[in-house]
Amino acid sequence: MVKNVTFKEARDGTADCLQCSIRESVLFAGVEDSAFEKLHDPIDQYTLPVGATLYHAGDMGEKLYTIRSGIIKLVQYLPDGSQRIVRLIRTTDVTGLEILVGETYQHDAVVLQETEVCALPVRVVNNLSSENPGLHKELLNRWQRALTEADAWLTELSTGSAKQRIARLLLRLVKNREESQCSLFAREDMGAMLGITTETASRTIAEFKRQSLLVETAPNQFLLDIPNLTRLAED
Amino acid sequence: MVKNVTFKEARDGTADCLQCSIRESVLFAGVEDSAFEKLHDPIDQYTLPVGATLYHAGDMGEKLYTIRSGIIKLVQYLPDGSQRIVRLIRTTDVTGLEILVGETYQHDAVVLQETEVCALPVRVVNNLSSENPGLHKELLNRWQRALTEADAWLTELSTGSAKQRIARLLLRLVKNREESQCSLFAREDMGAMLGITTETASRTIAEFKRQSLLVETAPNQFLLDIPNLTRLAED
DNA sequence: CGCGACATTGAGTTTATTCAAATACGGTGG
DNA sequence: CCACCGTATTTGAATAAACTCAATGTCGCG
């Protein structure tokens, strides 16, 4: 069983949004420098270790988060206690948007790979967005992006045989990269993403390794045979 | 195979938003009467028969739709041609939101039960929303609602055994109703919603009937044994 | 070294799929 | 009104896939 550590306010400092290296692709991309200077509320930055929980389902929060680096899983639970991972949040993604419409967090957000986040108070986002058509547009974009992602998880990662699902997950992990290299998640997490058991995930990965569809170049660093995985994923 | 008719502009007339009987729960709930009167673009109303396609994935449209009555399925296709239904749209829901952020439609929208829709030109929505914090808020709400729904399809309808998934789907169909009565979809559609085959859907429904978890009171009208279905759904 | 957590493998069972056949159902045209 | 057709549903039998439960391997770390 994967154990979860709680996010204990391990604050790194105050973000300097004006200098942020990923600002171009981030929520605030369209916001003027001058607007930032009017902020009273500082935007805090944190570094979270593997296993930390950024927020809990049902909590009434007042922050959204942008991910500067790392990977976070969004988890929901079934009445019987089993978990299902509904999405992954990665660099430049925003999570916790539901707070903006007054909902509680809809998932547990748990760190899979060490993650740097910026915590944006709802108030700040609301203030900025009411005066910034750019930010506002960007917010809608993020919402739509999350929705597109959710749909893809249904069609790609929850449909077809275990082999197909694993292949599609692997391809997703390297998508938009020059390199076909990636690291994998714990088998239990892969199962929870794909709606299969831990054992089936393990067996399938092991089989892929034997067939050299996956080659381990270093501990948990794999090169993918993209053409053959693609073929597998599609039929 | 279910065949799809195309939506052939079967226009009923121009909607009278001021008098709309479902206005209280609809996208425009918070919009002032006076704002409506400034609209040049009329809002068209249509009635669509079963099998009609409201819009196609990949089309660059300029309308969103609010559903006044009926049921629509949102369908995505896999590379191998198989279909997956990612969401159902029902009374007071809005669909086609992606158009607002400049995307093409992300799904085929196909009518499952005769449906009345209002077609809202993007321009109208954008104009109204830039001046109406209420409408704007409502838009965010709809986006979040779609997202919550997408997550629920993953956790509830794509997880667990076929029996559990069917039970959860049935319960969903009568949720928020005083009556435990509902009508069912074609087995092929149920399969596409749950990620199972048509035959498995059929077998399961047939078995539920034999166990009186479902009682057919009229052609395609069923009463559900909610307590026992709930028990089934949960473990 | 040895412990704990995770990954892999095995064997047996259950569940779902596949392919095929049989049955029901609704509507059309004679 | 009934026969017939096409479509959808149900059922059957064999096969394949995934699950369960248990055992064994592996790796990193105290």
Side-chain angles (χ1 to χ4, degrees):
Chain A
M1 189 59 67
V2 175
K3 58 185 173 322
N4 291 334
V5 184
T6 312
F7 168 33
K8 291 205 197 59
E9 301 287 323
R11 192 158 148 279
D12 291 341
T14 300
D16 183 351
C17 297
L18 294 178
Q19 304 301 327
C20 175
S21 58
I22 58 169
R23 169 128 172 253
E24 293 312 310
S25 46
V26 106
L27 189 60
F28 291 146
V31 178
E32 309 278 328
D33 290 2
S34 59
F36 275 114
E37 286 160 4
K38 288 189 290 188
L39 294 180
H40 322 291
D41 306 83
I43 291 174
D44 288 335
Q45 240 181 280
Y46 302 89
T47 301
L48 305 177
V50 173
T53 297
L54 182 55
Y55 54 75
H56 279 287
D59 283 1
M60 180 55 89
E62 47 189 27
K63 310 236 165 139
L64 1 181
Y65 299 90
T66 72
I67 278 59
R68 294 169 47 80
S69 69
I71 306 188
I72 288 180
K73 63 176 173 180
L74 298 188
V75 185
Q76 280 188 340
Y77 299 91
L78 290 170
D80 74 350
S82 60
Q83 66 165 255
R84 185 81 211 244
I85 298 176
V86 301
R87 232 166 306 141
L88 291 182
I89 308 295
R90 310 214 269 174
T91 307
T92 77
D93 287 334
V94 178
T95 194
L97 281 173
E98 56 267 41
I99 292 297
L100 285 179
V101 297
E103 305 250 356
T104 58
Y105 292 118
Q106 301 293 298
H107 318 90
D108 277 13
V110 179
V111 174
L112 288 187
Q113 289 180 13
E114 183 173 280
T115 295
E116 299 175 285
V117 302
C118 287
L120 319 174
V122 181
R123 202 156 12 96
V124 169
V125 176
N126 276 333
N127 286 346
L128 281 177
S129 91
S130 62
E131 293 156 19
N132 271 280
L135 173 58
H136 171 244
K137 187 110 200 296
E138 202 50 41
L139 270 177
L140 298 188
N141 270 324
R142 298 305 163 135
W143 239 301
Q144 178 56 32
R145 195 197 281 189
L147 197 49
T148 300
E149 192 67 7
D151 289 342
W153 276 58
L154 252 190
T155 39
E156 293 178 25
L157 302 184
S158 302
T159 306
S161 67
K163 273 198 252 288
Q164 291 178 311
R165 297 184 196 188
I166 296 255
R168 297 195 196 113
L169 176 60
L170 293 174
L171 291 171
R172 225 155 213 289
L173 292 180
V174 298
K175 191 120 128 266
N176 306 325
R177 293 224 210 145
E178 54 303 328
E179 280 300 322
S180 70
Q181 185 155 71
C182 68
S183 59
L184 300 187
F185 306 113
R187 303 298 173 266
E188 185 180 354
D189 282 329
M190 298 183 97
M193 292 176 204
L194 303 175
I196 61 181
T197 58
T198 305
E199 292 95 330
T200 300
S202 176
R203 272 183 241 276
T204 308
I205 290 289
E207 189 187 335
F208 281 7
K209 284 186 198 164
R210 284 190 287 268
Q211 299 172 342
S212 303
L213 294 169
L214 277 177
V215 179
E216 192 159 17
T217 58
N220 198 26
Q221 283 299 312
F222 294 88
L223 280 177
L224 308 188
D225 176 348
I226 297 191
N228 281 314
L229 284 171
T230 304
R231 198 174 39 69
L232 247 183
E234 293 189 353
D235 58 35
Chain B
M1 191 59 67
V2 175
K3 59 184 174 320
N4 291 334
V5 185
T6 313
F7 169 32
K8 293 205 197 55
E9 301 288 323
R11 191 157 148 280
D12 292 340
T14 300
D16 183 351
C17 297
L18 294 179
Q19 305 300 327
C20 174
S21 58
I22 59 169
R23 170 130 171 251
E24 292 312 310
S25 47
V26 107
L27 189 60
F28 291 147
V31 178
E32 307 277 328
D33 290 3
S34 59
F36 275 115
E37 284 160 5
K38 288 190 289 189
L39 295 181
H40 323 291
D41 305 84
I43 291 174
D44 288 335
Q45 238 180 284
Y46 300 89
T47 300
L48 305 177
V50 172
T53 298
L54 183 55
Y55 54 75
H56 279 287
D59 283 1
M60 181 53 90
E62 47 189 26
K63 310 236 167 143
L64 2 179
Y65 299 90
T66 71
I67 278 60
R68 294 168 47 80
S69 69
I71 305 187
I72 286 179
K73 62 175 173 182
L74 298 188
V75 185
Q76 280 187 340
Y77 299 91
L78 290 170
D80 75 349
S82 60
Q83 67 165 257
R84 184 83 210 242
I85 299 176
V86 300
R87 233 167 305 141
L88 292 181
I89 308 295
R90 310 215 269 174
T91 306
T92 76
D93 286 335
V94 177
T95 193
L97 281 173
E98 56 268 42
I99 291 299
L100 285 179
V101 296
E103 305 250 358
T104 58
Y105 292 118
Q106 302 291 299
H107 318 89
D108 277 12
V110 179
V111 174
L112 287 187
Q113 288 180 14
E114 183 173 279
T115 294
E116 299 175 286
V117 302
C118 288
L120 319 175
V122 182
R123 198 156 15 94
V124 169
V125 176
N126 276 333
N127 286 346
L128 282 177
S129 91
S130 60
E131 293 156 21
N132 272 280
L135 173 58
H136 172 245
K137 186 111 200 297
E138 202 50 42
L139 271 177
L140 299 187
N141 269 323
R142 298 304 163 136
W143 238 301
Q144 179 56 31
R145 194 196 283 190
L147 197 50
T148 300
E149 191 68 7
D151 288 342
W153 277 58
L154 251 190
T155 41
E156 294 179 24
L157 303 184
S158 302
T159 306
S161 68
K163 271 198 254 286
Q164 289 177 312
R165 296 185 196 187
I166 296 254
R168 296 194 196 115
L169 176 60
L170 293 173
L171 291 171
R172 222 155 217 289
L173 291 180
V174 299
K175 192 120 127 267
N176 305 326
R177 292 223 210 145
E178 55 303 327
E179 279 300 323
S180 70
Q181 185 155 71
C182 69
S183 59
L184 299 187
F185 306 114
R187 303 298 174 265
E188 185 180 354
D189 282 330
M190 297 182 100
M193 292 176 205
L194 303 175
I196 61 181
T197 58
T198 305
E199 292 93 328
T200 300
S202 175
R203 272 183 240 277
T204 308
I205 291 290
E207 189 188 335
F208 281 8
K209 284 186 198 163
R210 283 189 289 269
Q211 299 172 340
S212 304
L213 294 168
L214 277 177
V215 179
E216 192 159 17
T217 57
N220 197 28
Q221 283 299 314
F222 295 87
L223 280 178
L224 308 189
D225 176 348
I226 297 190
N228 281 313
L229 284 172
T230 303
R231 197 175 38 72
L232 247 182
E234 293 189 354
D235 58 34

